[in-house]
Amino acid sequence: MIRHDRNISESWKLLPWKKFRVNLFRLQKRVFKAVSVGDMRKALSIQKLILKSRAARFMAIRQVTQLNAGKKTPGIDKKLALTHKERFELELILEKQASDWRHNQLRLIPIPKKDGSKRYLKVPTIADRCWQCLAKFALEPAHEATFHADSYGFRTGRSACDAQRQVFNRLNSQAKGISKRILELDIEKCFDRISHSIIMDNLIAPKGLKMGIFRCLKSGINPEFPDQGTCQGGVVSPLLANISLNGIEEIHPSVRYADDMVFLLKPGESEEKLLDKISQFLSARGLKVSEKKTKLTTSTDGFDFLGWYFKVQQNGKFRCIPSEENFKAFRQKIKCVVNNSNYGAKVKAKKLAPIVRGWRNYHKFCDMSGSRFSSNGFSTIEHSRCSIKRHSQDRHTAEELVKKAFPNVPYSENRHVKVRGNKSPYDGDLVYWSERNSKLYDGKTSKLLKKQNHTCGHCGHKLISDEKIHLHHLDGNHNNWKDSNLTVVHESCHDYIHMDNKRSDEYAPFPKVKLCN
């Protein structure tokens, strides 16, 4: 039985993943170009090929079951994960039913909000998520060719840092940001109120895929609003929201990240007229502006957006720091780890390191010079350091653990290079996207990316996708940080490498034991 399972596992691992990536990307690139030139008939034909593609099916299953953050979240069928055998079986199901998919009901997970109310995360089954990922492979390149340049949320090749940089471009001294006002727009229950008809009318997809998306929308309906809402928790939901809101950027100069957006008004421009145009745009989509959360501020008073606090000083200089709310949430995470009496000093250091590194990496293009943000400061959570030191055996160990728990991540204010215009990874410009990907990383990672010509050290494929990249230690010694011992690989490739090592240890022959007389 063990041998049989191992053979299935080997079969999954030995699938031609590099070839699958190339084949899928080639089809997606053709869809993008067809829509760009207005040849919708050709685009729909190629989308059908993606749904029938074996490469796309396996890539979708791999994405959902191995790479996505919610890979261990069960749906209404309570299935937590798929074995290798079940993945192969699901591929056969997708092959037969991809063009006529019947969506299951959704599992509702209540999530408390700041005001005390609850919103519901609607989670599809693993099989439904795999179909949605397959649908996304066909839909995304078609709509990437139509999306506005100032839209940055939930789009391949774009990030919150691009939105941050665009705010800087619109409010710096050259753009006379000191004289501008900012309309912070909040849409009331955006994902729960999006009109199904507007999604279907704007969807670029063949008939079978459209029908599948329609069933997907109806599977998560609110009885009070049967013709509105998308399932928050679905793979394709952010894309459908972007499709619905696309075009709002043309009303007035703005920066949009999914349903979060800010409009920038010059002196003399009327906010009433702007709000009226926005309301008309949203009402056609079953949405409306939240009057409580939508507000108008001057650039010199400052405003919060995407976890940052933006402000233009009286001398005209632009400033960006982590917002107070964002910092409080970060501090709370730190306290939860530090105050846990079940953790020792080493465990605390191990758990704190990714939290601190992740937070500082997110904010590495804003001003982190303040005492509460500096690597050596963290004055508001100094007790965290003291706690680690207090539970350590000696002074040297304590200092090492503190360094590990609070890693030093450099920052460079307003130095992020924003994505160029309407560029998309599906346009086929591999040189631009591989070089840009290396600029998103610092230190050894960036250096090795250039040395490896932006290719994965394991599979040899270009590192241009949204998949995270990892540094792999060739000799297995995580204390050996010499360049000769490191290689840059895809996250999934890194998993496979360590899976091989674990398996070789697991199936290694037992050592011979010398018996005593």
Side-chain angles (χ1 to χ4, degrees):
M1 184 66 182
I2 293 176
R3 181 65 60 181
H4 178 65
D5 289 344
R6 187 185 177 188
N7 289 339
I8 295 175
S9 174
E10 286 294 328
S11 298
W12 177 265
K13 176 185 171 294
L14 294 174
L15 285 170
W17 295 110
K18 181 179 177 180
K19 185 178 179 182
F20 287 166
R21 275 193 184 124
V22 172
N23 290 345
L24 175 59
F25 181 71
R26 184 173 64 246
L27 291 172
Q28 290 178 315
K29 187 170 65 173
R30 290 174 63 192
V31 172
F32 180 87
K33 290 186 175 180
V35 176
S36 297
V37 298
D39 192 347
M40 294 301 175
R41 185 175 179 180
K42 184 177 181 180
L44 297 179
S45 177
I46 302 169
Q47 284 179 315
K48 290 179 182 177
L49 291 179
I50 292 177
L51 293 178
K52 295 177 182 177
S53 168
R54 180 171 177 259
R57 291 194 298 272
F58 275 115
M59 290 294 287
I61 295 170
R62 176 171 166 270
Q63 181 70 40
V64 170
T65 60
Q66 290 184 276
L67 301 180
N68 283 357
K71 59 189 175 185
K72 294 183 179 179
T73 306
I76 199 170
D77 59 356
K78 297 183 180 179
K79 187 165 285 188
L80 192 62
L82 298 184
T83 63
H84 291 94
K85 183 180 179 181
E86 288 172 329
R87 290 174 191 169
F88 281 111
E89 290 172 351
L90 179 56
E91 190 272 331
L92 295 175
I93 294 172
L94 287 174
E95 181 182 14
K96 295 177 182 177
Q97 302 177 19
S99 297
D100 188 30
W101 189 259
R102 304 283 172 171
H103 212 280
N104 293 294
Q105 291 298 308
L106 307 173
R107 177 186 168 216
L108 299 182
I109 302 177
I111 298 175
K113 298 175 74 173
K114 299 171 191 174
D115 58 2
S117 61
K118 292 182 180 180
R119 69 179 180 90
Y120 288 91
L121 192 66
K122 301 174 182 179
V123 183
T125 62
I126 292 178
D128 287 331
R129 295 205 294 271
C130 288
W131 178 84
Q132 286 188 27
C133 189
L134 179 61
K136 185 183 176 184
F137 287 157
L139 293 171
E140 191 170 54
H143 289 280
E144 274 292 320
T146 66
F147 284 156
H148 197 276
D150 286 337
S151 168
Y152 301 100
F154 302 118
R155 290 184 59 187
T156 181
R158 292 170 179 247
S159 67
C161 290
D162 292 307
Q164 180 196 35
R165 178 66 189 189
Q166 184 64 358
V167 172
F168 168 75
N169 292 344
R170 294 284 175 88
L171 292 179
N172 61 21
S173 55
Q174 293 180 346
K176 299 179 180 179
I178 194 170
S179 62
K180 292 183 179 179
R181 292 169 297 154
I182 290 83
L183 178 66
E184 301 174 59
L185 186 71
D186 186 87
I187 302 173
E188 190 174 316
K189 298 181 179 179
C190 180
F191 279 84
D192 294 331
R193 296 289 182 269
I194 294 176
S195 170
H196 292 172
S197 59
I198 204 73
I199 293 175
M200 300 309 298
D201 290 344
N202 289 284
L203 204 64
I204 303 172
K207 186 178 178 180
L209 181 53
K210 266 196 170 184
M211 201 65 216
I213 293 294
F214 182 75
R215 290 174 185 145
C216 172
L217 292 171
K218 293 301 180 185
S219 67
I221 60 172
N222 185 334
E224 298 176 15
F225 304 95
D227 297 319
Q228 294 178 310
T230 61
C231 53
Q232 294 185 61
V235 177
V236 79
S237 297
L239 175 61
L240 298 180
N242 272 335
I243 291 170
S244 300
L245 294 174
N246 186 45
I248 196 171
E249 305 88 352
E250 297 173 4
I251 295 174
H252 193 85
S254 61
V255 181
R256 181 169 76 87
Y257 190 92
D259 60 332
D260 291 328
M261 62 197 86
V262 290
F263 290 83
L264 302 105
L265 291 84
K266 294 179 181 178
E269 292 180 331
S270 172
E271 66 272 14
E272 288 85 0
K273 289 182 179 179
L274 175 58
L275 270 172
D276 186 53
K277 290 179 181 178
I278 293 171
S279 297
Q280 290 179 23
F281 179 91
L282 294 177
S283 63
R285 287 151 178 78
L287 303 170
K288 65 178 181 178
V289 175
S290 174
E291 295 181 2
K292 291 181 180 179
K293 297 180 181 179
T294 298
K295 55 184 177 180
L296 185 72
T297 58
T298 62
S299 60
T300 52
D301 287 337
F303 62 98
D304 291 346
F305 183 53
L306 301 179
W308 291 295
Y309 176 72
F310 299 97
K311 184 178 181 179
V312 179
Q313 298 176 340
Q314 292 300 330
N315 60 4
K317 194 170 184 179
F318 179 86
R319 275 285 173 261
C320 172
I321 62 172
S323 68
E324 188 68 32
E325 189 177 314
N326 182 274
F327 183 68
K328 283 181 180 179
F330 165 69
R331 187 174 58 187
Q332 188 59 37
K333 289 181 181 178
I334 296 291
K335 286 183 177 180
C336 285
V337 175
V338 172
N339 294 337
N340 194 322
S341 58
N342 296 324
Y343 297 155
K346 288 185 178 180
V347 176
K348 286 180 181 179
K350 187 177 180 180
K351 288 186 175 292
L352 285 175
I355 297 173
V356 175
R357 187 183 292 109
W359 185 78
R360 289 190 61 84
N361 271 323
Y362 184 80
H363 296 293
K364 68 179 179 179
F365 295 112
C366 67
D367 184 9
M368 299 287 284
S369 60
S371 61
R372 65 174 181 169
F373 303 133
S374 64
S375 298
N376 298 322
F378 277 112
S379 58
T380 56
I381 50 171
E382 187 61 34
H383 71 280
S384 304
R385 295 171 176 273
C386 296
S387 175
I388 291 175
K389 290 180 179 179
R390 190 168 57 250
H391 290 89
S392 301
Q393 295 177 352
D394 56 74
R395 184 178 177 183
H396 177 72
T397 304
E399 292 299 329
E400 289 296 319
L401 289 175
V402 166
K403 287 180 181 179
K404 187 178 289 186
F406 297 92
N408 184 16
V409 178
Y411 70 92
S412 50
E413 189 179 1
N414 301 324
R415 295 295 298 274
H416 176 71
V417 180
K418 187 176 75 72
V419 64
R420 192 196 309 159
N422 275 311
K423 292 290 289 180
S424 169
Y426 301 116
D427 60 15
D429 190 351
L430 295 182
V431 174
Y432 171 81
W433 287 104
S434 59
E435 289 181 356
R436 174 175 169 76
N437 197 49
S438 66
K439 291 177 182 177
L440 300 178
Y441 298 91
D442 299 315
K444 286 185 179 292
T445 307
S446 179
K447 181 181 177 181
L448 289 169
L449 275 169
K450 292 175 183 176
K451 184 179 177 181
Q452 294 176 203
N453 195 25
H454 315 288
T455 57
C456 175
H458 181 70
C459 70
H461 193 260
K462 282 282 187 182
L463 293 158
I464 62 169
S465 67
D466 281 346
E467 185 178 343
K468 293 179 182 178
I469 64 175
H470 287 183
L471 281 177
H472 172 61
H473 296 75
L474 296 172
D475 64 357
N477 180 9
H478 285 207
N479 293 319
N480 182 0
W481 287 89
K482 292 181 180 178
D483 290 353
S484 58
N485 187 48
L486 297 171
T487 183
V488 182
V489 295
H490 289 105
E491 181 185 23
S492 56
C493 291
H494 203 196
D495 289 343
Y496 280 133
I497 292 169
H498 286 285
M499 197 187 301
D500 282 344
N501 295 339
K502 184 178 179 181
R503 191 179 293 115
S504 62
D505 293 340
E506 183 180 347
Y507 292 99
F510 289 106
K512 293 182 179 179
V513 180
K514 187 176 180 180
L515 299 176
C516 298
N517 293 329

